[in-house]
Amino acid sequence: MVDINKMKVNSSVCLKQVLKVTTHDMHTGGEPLRIVTSGMPDILGSTILQKREYVKRHLDHYRKFLMNEPRGHKDMYGAILFQDKPLSNEFGVLFMHNEGYSSMCGHGVIALGRYVVDYELVVPKSPETPIIFNCPCGPVKTYVEYINNSSGPVHFESVPAFVYRLGAEVHVPTIGRLSVDIAFGGAFYVIISDRELSLDINSSPQSQMIDIGGKITEAAREQIPILHPESSELSFLYGTIITDGRDRFTDGPSTNICHIC
């Protein structure tokens, strides 16, 4: 539970208002998710994108005190759930982090799937409980294994992905000119292999890859216009994914590092 103390001053009268927000913390393979369980004011808007805009304009102080230190940290992620009908398997969700709001979060969806089953916000079904999370990017179909009255692994089908640009040129300070691909999978990302950067994703220092990923993202945002075909609110570059180059299904499992800034 998080307590927020606000001071209201009116002439010579000082009033102290205590707001209480409760949260539930989870993680997916170490990736954190802080779920708001109570204490948020009413969030206006008939669509999830309208609700996100309302939160950004009027309630952003909640994001800041939940995501930032001392209660959070630079890698904290958060989620605000909306459920119109009790025990319905359909939810709205807003994802937030230390810098703002995201349109989709894979590890967040996995954690939310387990959360809504384990805390009986849905009626579980065996062998899998189907759930729909309506994210800012669109509906994400989620499936939670449920066997012997216990939840298990989670998998999901995100919104349709598409290639936005192939071989786009971007000049990155201290690195030079790069040829990058840009694709959408709930958000827009630059995708580039480690070999193109003279790196080895399995052995290069993680701090070096994070630094380079951040520089690529910043340069691409400045030099490459991003336009989602259906929503201007999704028309932004979210981050950079550095891969091991094994990008085809026939290549087998691949490794990548995702930098968001």
Side-chain angles (χ1 to χ4, degrees):
M1 183 174 70
V2 181
D3 290 345
I4 315 134
N5 295 320
K6 282 189 172 181
M7 302 298 292
K8 286 188 175 181
V9 180
N10 183 8
S11 300
S12 60
V13 180
C14 181
L15 300 176
K16 185 176 182 180
Q17 180 185 16
V18 178
L19 305 178
K20 293 184 178 180
V21 178
T22 62
T23 62
H24 184 90
D25 282 13
M26 299 186 71
H27 75 87
T28 304
E31 294 279 357
L33 186 72
R34 175 164 291 166
I35 305 167
V36 178
T37 55
S38 71
M40 287 290 294
D42 290 339
I43 298 175
L44 303 183
S46 58
T47 69
I48 199 68
L49 286 173
Q50 290 174 356
K51 288 180 181 294
R52 184 174 71 168
E53 186 62 24
Y54 183 86
V55 170
K56 288 168 66 176
R57 288 179 177 272
H58 303 287
L59 302 174
D60 196 50
H61 53 286
Y62 282 86
R63 175 190 64 81
K64 291 177 179 177
F65 70 70
L66 289 171
M67 298 295 102
N68 294 338
E69 293 183 356
R71 302 172 188 89
H73 50 79
K74 68 181 181 65
D75 295 317
M76 179 60 75
Y77 243 81
I80 304 171
L81 274 178
F82 308 92
Q83 188 179 28
D84 293 333
K85 298 178 182 178
L87 300 182
S88 165
N89 73 330
E90 190 163 350
F91 297 80
V93 58
L94 292 179
F95 290 113
M96 54 188 175
H97 48 81
N98 70 313
E99 291 190 340
Y101 303 84
S102 62
S103 53
M104 165 60 179
C105 177
H107 85 265
V109 166
I110 292 172
L112 287 173
R114 288 289 294 270
Y115 173 76
V116 301
V117 170
D118 290 346
Y119 285 85
E120 300 180 347
L121 301 184
V122 299
V123 178
K125 295 182 179 180
S126 183
E128 286 188 332
T129 301
I131 303 161
I132 296 175
F133 291 111
N134 289 305
C135 304
C137 67
V140 176
K141 298 177 182 179
T142 308
Y143 305 89
V144 183
E145 181 183 283
Y146 191 77
I147 299 175
N148 296 326
N149 297 319
S150 180
S151 63
V154 182
H155 63 99
F156 64 85
E157 299 173 15
S158 190
V159 296
F162 59 87
V163 173
Y164 183 70
R165 291 277 300 273
L166 290 176
E169 286 196 353
V170 58
H171 183 269
V172 183
T174 73
I175 297 176
R177 189 165 298 279
L178 298 174
S179 177
V180 303
D181 299 332
I182 300 177
F184 180 88
F188 286 97
Y189 289 90
V190 165
I191 301 174
I192 188 170
S193 73
D194 53 358
R195 293 191 300 272
E196 297 293 323
L197 301 169
S198 299
L199 298 172
D200 185 331
I201 202 167
N202 294 304
S203 61
S204 296
Q206 188 180 72
S207 59
Q208 182 184 17
M209 289 187 286
I210 291 173
D211 179 64
I212 290 175
K215 290 179 179 178
I216 294 173
T217 300
E218 291 177 6
R221 283 175 177 167
E222 294 176 355
Q223 300 170 36
I224 303 175
I226 299 293
L227 181 62
H228 190 277
E230 296 180 349
S231 174
S232 61
E233 296 182 71
L234 299 175
S235 298
F236 61 92
L237 183 67
Y238 194 50
T240 293
I241 299 175
I242 301 174
T243 77
D244 62 1
R246 304 177 68 181
D247 300 329
R248 298 176 300 178
F249 288 113
T250 55
D251 290 338
S254 64
T255 302
N256 68 75
I257 184 167
C258 179
H259 180 273
I260 301 169
C261 67

